[in-house]
Amino acid sequence: MALHLSVFCFSNTVASGPHNGVRFFSQRTVKASGFSCQPLAPISRVNLKGKAFPGDGVPETKESSLVVCFGELLIDFVPTISGLSLAEAPAFKKAAGGAPANVAVGIARLGGSSAFIGKVGEDEFGYMLADILKQNSVNIEGMRFDPGARTALAFVTLRSNGEREFMFFRNPSADMLLREAELDFDLIRKAKIFHYGSISLITEPCKSAHIAAAKAAKDSGAVLSYDPNLRLPLWSSAESAREGILSIWEMADIIKVSEEEISFLTQGEDPYDDAVVRKLFHPNLKLLLVTEGPDGCRYYTKNFSGRVKGLKVDAVDTTGAGDAFVAGTLSQLSLDLSLLQKEDLLRDALKFANVCGALTVTERGAIPALPTREAVLDAMLQSVK
């Protein structure tokens, strides 16, 4: 799936007016042509060899199933050839990225209802990113444009196996400068699920904005979803990263971590040992998910735990795979939170999420590679033949 490209006329992309030096997005300013999403229907309506899937019954309204994603939105520059260093790469493909934004697009592309809250620069990349989110049916009323800072950039080196390393340009970038006063609390209070990462905790003023947004969502009855998305080069030290990530750990209702993140957070303990994983399970947690790349995922609740196998594919670029998995999971939970208490239905939702992640690694870039619901269901049908 290629990157969505747009032609802009910036004389017409004028924000709705400065507010303490920050421009707020106007729905009139960015063209909405391009990708459209069909409303999400319960997976149970599709019969995969007689298997029932989550969401039985009448789905809830779009408004009540809203997932609001908070955090960074940036440009990923991905080498056109894998296995080379940044210096050796002959060319790069630009692609929209940023884990919370990836999740928002992933949910919308699956037919769900999502919104993004974050800040970009008042520059061509910032408006391009806003356009991409809007084309993918993501609510961008909570986006802000900073006239004094640039949109964040990340160069991503791809090893021959599709794994990646990052070089970030944020000194500071606009996403780091979001202030509490700029938050759209009306939008936050509409969320059924409020999703975020840890990068927005690294510096002020965004750290305070993050905590205020999460508290407002929690107070309004939203389920809080947390993917730490560890990026050590962005933190001042490993210890500050560990402390920062764990500082909001007990706020979350749902947490997704990778095996590497378990080792990091437990200071080197075995991520395959259930007793080690259970150390990260706080008293109010409803669901802890551990992603295992091509092997699938593990899940832990207070009452049950298990493993769901993944879908084997040829990996081209693993950027965004975890975000696609989160999008697949939250798209199902937003329709029916009772999945958290029903192991069979939760397993089916996680099978769907695993396929979302698998399909994403078959293309370069994060947002360009996120699958549609139809593509996921087709892959699931093919896998059971």
Side-chain angles (χ1 to χ4, degrees):
M1 191 179 301
L3 173 69
H4 299 290
L5 298 178
S6 304
V7 178
F8 296 88
C9 177
F10 286 98
S11 62
N12 290 328
T13 42
V14 180
S16 59
H19 180 78
N20 294 327
V22 175
R23 296 184 185 272
F24 286 62
F25 186 79
S26 167
Q27 293 284 357
R28 296 188 300 267
T29 61
V30 180
K31 295 186 293 183
S33 60
F35 194 94
S36 61
C37 299
Q38 297 299 314
L40 183 65
I43 294 182
S44 58
R45 292 185 180 179
V46 178
N47 190 321
L48 300 182
K49 285 199 169 181
K51 187 71 172 175
F53 280 82
D56 273 326
V58 178
E60 298 169 86
T61 64
K62 288 282 281 186
E63 189 69 15
S64 68
S65 64
L66 178 66
V67 181
V68 175
C69 301
F70 176 96
E72 67 276 7
L73 173 59
L74 51 86
I75 301 289
D76 286 331
F77 286 92
V78 184
T80 55
I81 299 177
S82 299
L84 300 177
S85 69
L86 288 175
E88 295 169 328
F92 296 84
K93 170 189 174 182
K94 73 176 185 295
N102 294 343
V103 173
V105 172
I107 290 168
R109 201 169 285 177
L110 292 169
S113 176
S114 67
F116 174 76
I117 293 177
K119 188 187 258 189
V120 294
E122 191 179 299
D123 51 39
E124 292 192 16
F125 281 148
Y127 284 112
M128 184 194 87
L129 291 169
D131 190 63
I132 289 172
L133 293 194
K134 189 171 182 182
Q135 288 179 17
N136 282 278
S137 301
V138 176
N139 180 322
I140 52 176
E141 294 173 5
M143 278 190 70
R144 303 292 179 253
F145 295 78
D146 195 314
R150 295 296 189 190
T151 300
L153 307 178
F155 284 81
V156 186
T157 57
L158 296 176
R159 302 173 190 158
S160 56
N161 64 356
E163 289 297 327
R164 73 264 194 243
E165 297 175 350
F166 295 88
M167 179 184 290
F168 295 94
F169 289 80
R170 314 166 76 231
N171 295 306
S173 53
D175 61 289
M176 302 164 68
L177 302 177
L178 181 67
R179 295 179 290 110
E180 181 178 347
E182 297 164 357
L183 294 174
D184 187 336
F185 284 102
D186 289 339
L187 179 60
I188 291 168
R189 293 186 184 103
K190 293 177 183 177
K192 183 169 186 177
I193 299 174
F194 185 79
H195 176 75
Y196 49 85
S198 69
I199 290 175
S200 48
L201 295 170
I202 296 174
T203 58
E204 293 289 1
C206 191
K207 178 179 178 180
S208 293
H210 176 138
I211 293 170
K215 183 179 184 303
K218 189 82 167 180
D219 290 346
S220 297
V223 169
L224 300 193
S225 167
Y226 184 24
D227 177 2
N229 192 37
L230 176 65
R231 295 289 180 264
L232 265 180
L234 295 178
W235 295 85
S236 59
S237 67
E239 186 56 35
S240 66
R242 190 176 295 108
E243 290 179 0
I245 289 170
L246 293 176
S247 69
I248 61 167
W249 197 259
E250 295 195 2
M251 287 184 68
D253 300 295
I254 299 168
I255 297 175
K256 172 260 171 190
V257 287
S258 67
E259 299 158 293
E260 295 81 6
E261 287 165 343
I262 292 173
S263 294
F264 175 77
L265 293 172
T266 59
Q267 302 191 58
E269 295 192 53
D270 183 2
Y272 299 99
D273 184 340
D274 281 352
V276 171
V277 177
R278 283 286 183 183
K279 291 180 181 180
L280 297 174
F281 200 99
H282 67 75
N284 297 317
L285 192 61
K286 295 179 174 65
L287 176 64
L288 177 63
L289 295 169
V290 180
T291 52
E292 299 181 330
D295 295 325
C297 68
R298 282 174 280 159
Y299 59 90
Y300 301 82
T301 73
K302 291 179 181 178
N303 299 317
F304 52 79
S305 62
R307 173 180 273 105
V308 178
K309 291 182 179 179
L311 177 69
K312 302 294 184 181
V313 296
D314 294 325
V316 173
D317 176 9
T318 59
T319 305
D323 303 327
F325 171 84
V326 171
T329 302
L330 297 185
S331 71
Q332 298 306 305
L333 287 173
S334 67
L335 292 175
D336 185 3
L337 287 173
S338 72
L339 300 182
L340 296 169
Q341 288 84 44
K342 300 173 182 176
E343 185 172 9
D344 287 347
L345 294 181
L346 178 62
R347 289 182 61 86
D348 291 333
L350 295 177
K351 290 175 187 176
F352 180 85
N354 281 342
V355 175
C356 291
L359 293 182
T360 300
V361 308
T362 63
E363 301 280 348
R364 295 185 188 276
I367 286 178
L370 293 168
T372 63
R373 182 171 179 272
E374 290 72 22
V376 175
L377 292 177
D378 182 64
M380 293 177 77
L381 283 167
Q382 295 299 319
S383 70
V384 297
K385 285 184 178 179

